[in-house]
Amino acid sequence: MFNKKNTYEQHDNESGSFYRSSIKPYNSLDLLNEDLEVDVCVVGGGLTGVSSALNLAKKGYSVAICESRLIGWGASGRNGGQLGIGMRKDQPYIEKKLGFDHAKELWKMGLESVEEALKLISEYNISCNLQKGVISAGCFETDIKDFDNEINHLEKYYNFTNHKILTKKMIKEEINSELYFSGLINYGSYHINPLKYLLGITEELKKYNVKIFENSPVSKLIEKNDHILTYVNQNLITSNYVVVGCNGYLDKLLGNIRSKFMPINNYIIATEPLGEKKAKEIIKNNHAVCDTRFIIDYYRFSEDWRMIFGGGETYSAKFLHNSKIFVW
Ligand SMILES: Cc1cc2nc3c(=O)[nH]c(=O)nc-3n(C[C@H](O)[C@H](O)[C@H](O)COP(=O)(O)OP(=O)(O)OC[C@H]3O[C@@H](n4cnc5c(N)ncnc54)[C@H](O)[C@@H]3O)c2cc1C
């Protein structure tokens, strides 16, 4: 059923990407042409790999990253750019499933992760078009009641007041569409160009002498008693620890785990630049938007006023060739 190709190879023949065209290629100068020993080998150059590398290197570990293609090749360099605080489900739902204390821990984690991203953007002066506010746009008449309950609950139990409810009239003013019955603006969430953000963090790795090997797919990991062998092209990296940050591109690298997760692909496209005036006629205050359906539509404007629009899902290890028709 699954493709014979490695999942990351499915992006090889893509015709172009807005995010890629918005950055200067990173082009790491590190080349792995001999065997290497490090404390930690990180597999995958997305947000998981790069931020693990940064945090480990700051603690004094020697670190090497192996990325099959280019930094940001996977989801981190091709996502919706929404930097959101919340979970997919609201807090009362999570409380029912996991209990209040656990739900509160998860809520705090959401707040902290946005805080951490904002801190990195400011500390490293990352120019990634940071914009405030994400609107949850209600596709159903009953959504306003749910938004109201959510706001009250978050105020009462989480001391969170950074929300604003939008009535039908108000959401029409924010988003020029007939689709929505109501909305909820979350001012604690933001949107960014995710690839610029990732490369901004990657740049910092140089200060800590992290080796970054692009075009270096890992073909095998072998665990020995007191070290791990990582096979990369013709070379071998020996390390005490390995961080595997391959996301849904993992394939068989960790053996049977592959049969325990289900690939869910989501698709995103960018329009031509529409100009600031047109963009603000569509989304008045340049917030990002996601709707309340099970398979969501989500969109926002880029730094050059393209609409970045995501939606649709497929459930297979094979990506669609023409996502444009599917998403739009
Ligand atoms: C279309 C889309 C929209 C999304 N929108 C949002 C959003 O708006 N907000 C949000 O918070 N999240 C969003 N997400 C989710 C988010 O992008 C991911 O959760 C996040 O980027 C995962 O980061 P990662 O580093 O774990 O994985 P990835 O960024 O996917 O990185 C994995 C890396 O591993 C590499 N790799 C794989 N196999 C090997 C190997 N054998 N050897 C070496 N390297 C290998 C790949 O090339 C890839 O670069 C979206 C995801 C998608 C697909």
Side-chain angles (χ1 to χ4, degrees):
M1 172 186 168
F2 294 114
N3 255 2
K4 288 213 175 74
K5 266 187 171 183
N6 293 304
T7 303
Y8 59 77
E9 286 177 82
Q10 291 187 57
H11 294 309
D12 284 353
N13 297 321
E14 283 169 356
S15 52
S17 141
F18 159 66
Y19 286 137
R20 278 276 149 218
S21 71
S22 75
I23 52 123
K24 267 204 234 117
Y26 180 72
N27 286 343
S28 174
L29 298 177
D30 295 325
L31 287 177
L32 186 64
N33 38 27
E34 56 183 16
D35 293 352
L36 181 75
E37 274 185 36
V38 283
D39 295 327
V40 188
C41 178
V42 174
V43 189
L47 277 167
T48 303
V50 167
S51 67
S52 302
L54 180 64
N55 285 299
L56 289 162
K58 277 181 171 174
K59 288 201 154 74
Y61 292 95
S62 60
V63 182
I65 298 182
C66 300
E67 163 52 49
S68 68
R69 293 293 187 262
L70 301 173
I71 293 294
W73 186 252
S76 305
R78 50 182 80 241
N79 67 41
Q82 299 205 7
L83 182 55
I85 53 173
M87 303 288 150
R88 179 75 194 264
K89 293 286 186 185
D90 60 22
Q91 286 307 112
Y93 178 92
I94 300 173
E95 287 163 21
K96 256 190 222 135
K97 285 267 171 205
L98 303 173
F100 183 76
D101 290 345
H102 194 164
K104 196 156 191 180
E105 280 305 308
L106 292 174
W107 171 258
K108 269 172 46 195
M109 207 186 278
L111 292 179
E112 282 165 14
S113 53
V114 172
E115 258 170 44
E116 173 71 10
L118 296 179
K119 198 182 103 201
L120 293 176
I121 290 169
S122 146
E123 200 175 320
Y124 301 148
N125 210 2
I126 302 174
S127 167
C128 58
N129 193 36
L130 176 70
Q131 303 288 326
K132 198 182 180 84
V134 174
I135 301 179
S136 194
C139 295
F140 308 101
E141 271 184 271
T142 50
D143 282 333
I144 192 146
K145 221 165 126 198
D146 294 338
F147 290 148
D148 198 41
N149 288 340
E150 194 179 339
I151 276 203
N152 291 332
H153 190 82
L154 288 174
E155 269 185 39
K156 192 164 167 195
Y157 297 105
Y158 293 79
N159 202 18
F160 182 81
T161 54
N162 221 354
H163 273 148
K164 182 172 139 194
I165 284 219
L166 304 171
T167 59
K168 185 160 185 164
K169 184 165 173 272
M170 288 157 85
I171 193 146
K172 179 82 175 64
E173 279 162 19
E174 287 288 340
I175 308 169
N176 192 358
S177 163
E178 301 297 334
L179 269 181
Y180 307 120
F181 291 95
S182 60
L184 185 65
I185 304 188
N186 185 335
Y187 293 108
S189 295
Y190 296 78
H191 63 100
I192 54 173
N193 177 320
L195 187 55
K196 286 186 175 172
Y197 170 67
L198 177 66
L199 292 185
I201 304 174
T202 308
E203 204 51 44
E204 287 306 302
L205 297 179
K206 285 183 189 155
K207 287 188 193 150
Y208 297 93
N209 290 323
V210 173
K211 298 270 175 230
I212 301 174
F213 301 117
E214 293 184 304
N215 298 304
S216 300
V218 170
S219 54
K220 204 162 47 170
L221 293 168
I222 296 196
E223 213 175 333
K224 298 284 184 185
N225 279 345
D226 59 351
H227 62 275
I228 301 163
L229 299 175
T230 300
Y231 290 77
V232 194
N233 295 329
Q234 311 309 320
N235 296 102
L236 199 57
I237 299 180
T238 304
S239 62
N240 297 325
Y241 304 96
V242 169
V243 174
V244 178
C246 294
N247 197 12
Y249 303 87
L250 179 67
D251 295 324
K252 297 247 170 84
L253 199 58
L254 292 178
N256 257 347
I257 286 184
R258 179 65 191 83
S259 57
K260 295 196 170 61
F261 64 83
M262 182 177 124
I264 302 181
N265 304 310
N266 184 257
Y267 298 89
I268 189 157
I269 57 174
T271 65
E272 293 172 0
L274 302 181
E276 181 172 355
K277 185 167 173 283
K278 182 86 201 151
K280 289 193 169 164
E281 279 166 25
I282 299 172
I283 306 176
K284 188 174 157 199
N285 290 305
N286 200 20
H287 298 313
V289 180
C290 59
D291 73 21
T292 53
R293 284 176 293 188
F294 180 69
I295 297 177
I296 58 170
D297 279 349
Y298 54 97
Y299 48 95
R300 64 185 190 89
F301 281 100
S302 64
E303 53 274 39
D304 63 352
W305 305 107
R306 293 164 197 271
M307 180 173 275
I308 310 283
F309 192 99
E313 280 176 3
T314 57
Y315 310 96
S316 139
K318 211 169 173 181
F319 302 153
L320 291 175
H321 285 302
N322 193 349
S323 47
K324 210 190 308 180
I325 293 170
F326 184 69
V327 176
W328 211 229

